[in-house]
Amino acid sequence: MSSKMVITQPQPVMEARESDEWGSGICDCFQDVPECCFAFWCCPCFACVTTKKYGQCLCLPLLEIFGGIPAITMSMRVSMRQRYGIKGTMCRDCLCATFCNSCSWCQMSREMRRRNIQIVLVSAKNT
């Protein structure tokens, strides 16, 4: 009898461990004052760093310089809400991205640090 080895490609496993709400409010800047100061005084740099930590292209937020509505900030908020299972609407994401841009980036950074979902790889099985 011979056994056959089946190898399955590793797949990321993500689970929501928290509630379906943001872990902090859009104006909860006092939870991390140095981070909020960085975002306020140099939001493009802070946005690039946060985007890189989220696993996207470092320079992606710089594309917002050419548009009226900050599409990258809005896209990151929508993506983060979907990844973490947070309730919300695209309209609210658009309002936060447009009128509270640096606060929005701070909120996303806090959420990433709070959730810190690890990727679990699936191993090969003998059959």
Side-chain angles (χ1 to χ4, degrees):
M1 266 195 98
S2 67
S3 65
K4 194 184 208 184
M5 182 175 221
V6 176
I7 298 176
T8 306
Q9 290 292 329
Q11 301 293 320
V13 176
M14 296 170 60
E15 59 186 58
R17 289 189 246 160
E18 304 291 329
S19 74
D20 59 356
E21 300 290 334
W22 287 98
S24 60
I26 191 76
C27 295
D28 286 345
C29 292
F30 292 111
Q31 287 186 3
D32 191 344
V33 174
E35 185 172 81
C36 287
C37 286
F38 178 30
F40 180 77
W41 293 109
C42 192
C43 190
C45 296
F46 184 79
C48 289
V49 168
T50 302
T51 301
K52 180 68 176 169
K53 286 180 187 175
Y54 191 67
Q56 298 296 323
C57 176
L58 173 72
C59 298
L60 194 60
L62 298 179
L63 296 174
E64 287 186 348
I65 293 170
F66 302 111
I69 294 176
I72 303 304
T73 304
M74 187 175 149
S75 298
M76 286 285 292
R77 285 185 63 83
V78 169
S79 173
M80 193 169 288
R81 279 193 310 99
Q82 289 177 345
R83 180 180 285 185
Y84 296 146
I86 297 171
K87 288 191 281 186
T89 65
M90 287 185 66
C91 182
R92 182 167 170 83
D93 291 331
C94 183
L95 290 172
C96 289
T98 303
F99 298 109
C100 304
N101 196 282
S102 45
C103 293
S104 185
W105 281 104
C106 286
Q107 183 185 35
M108 290 187 288
S109 179
R110 286 190 304 269
E111 195 67 29
M112 285 170 28
R113 195 172 47 251
R114 184 174 156 268
R115 302 269 178 154
N116 194 20
I117 294 177
Q118 300 295 318
I119 293 177
V120 179
L121 300 178
V122 180
S123 61
K125 298 184 262 184
N126 269 333
T127 59

